[in-house]
Amino acid sequence: VVDAGFDDSGGRAFRRLAGYIFGKNESRTQPGESEKMAMTVPVTRHQDAGDAGRTVYRFVMERAYSLETLPVPQAEGITLKEVPGGLTAVLRYRGGISEEGFKQQRAALEAALAEDGLKVIGPAMSATYNGPWTPGFLRRNEVLIPVAEDPETS
């Protein structure tokens, strides 16, 4: 969690999370040692439900790890958490990632979900798949919105 809005939080969040996966942690299998992990995608972000001035970032970890085997973070603000799966609507788009661009794409996906009668059950998330050095026209981004598996019973 970063105490900043969508456009102002990326650098701090990325440095913190990258530090964790590149060794600012303590191995559970070899106490006292750090452990380097592979960089994975996507990186997701969404506004904190309780505070619009805070942004929540997530890395998807490698399949080789479970919650019990992931190294212990040494940086403040990193929490290990298993996020349950579910049905998610996705809209893929290209270009730079900004709050305004995300909002436009989110609105398009929300309109399509409403038209199809699907019930939104969680916050919209931004998913990015490329680093900041990738030219905008080559960047793959997505809007992810959790939806009810059966809108009649939710």
Side-chain angles (χ1 to χ4, degrees):
V1 176
V2 177
D3 288 323
F6 191 97
D7 286 335
D8 299 324
S9 58
R12 280 186 277 168
F14 183 79
R15 283 189 298 276
R16 192 180 299 163
L17 290 170
Y20 169 69
I21 67 171
F22 293 140
K24 193 171 183 178
N25 61 55
E26 184 173 348
S27 173
R28 291 185 200 243
T29 58
Q30 296 181 350
E33 299 290 322
S34 67
E35 189 170 335
K36 291 184 180 180
M37 297 173 277
M39 174 82 64
T40 60
V41 292
V43 175
T44 66
R45 68 175 144 180
H46 64 275
Q47 295 307 123
D48 186 322
D51 183 349
R54 293 167 44 120
T55 306
V56 178
Y57 282 78
R58 293 181 181 153
F59 271 113
V60 176
M61 301 311 297
E62 297 176 77
R63 290 180 193 250
Y65 292 98
S66 70
L67 193 57
E68 293 76 28
T69 63
L70 280 167
V72 177
Q74 291 180 331
E76 247 183 74
I78 294 181
T79 304
L80 302 178
K81 180 180 178 181
E82 187 170 339
V83 178
L87 187 61
T88 302
V90 177
L91 175 64
R92 182 185 297 181
Y93 65 100
R94 297 228 178 258
I97 185 71
S98 68
E99 183 173 17
E100 187 58 36
F102 172 73
K103 284 181 176 179
Q104 289 174 1
Q105 299 298 328
R106 182 187 69 200
L109 181 54
E110 288 171 341
L113 294 174
E115 185 176 316
D116 289 343
L118 294 171
K119 182 178 178 183
V120 173
I121 59 170
M125 290 177 278
S126 164
T128 58
Y129 291 84
N130 305 99
W133 56 89
T134 304
F137 69 94
L138 293 175
R139 288 187 190 179
R140 174 183 168 192
N141 306 302
E142 295 175 343
V143 177
L144 310 172
I145 299 180
V147 295
E149 293 192 32
D150 182 0
E152 298 299 321
T153 61
S154 297

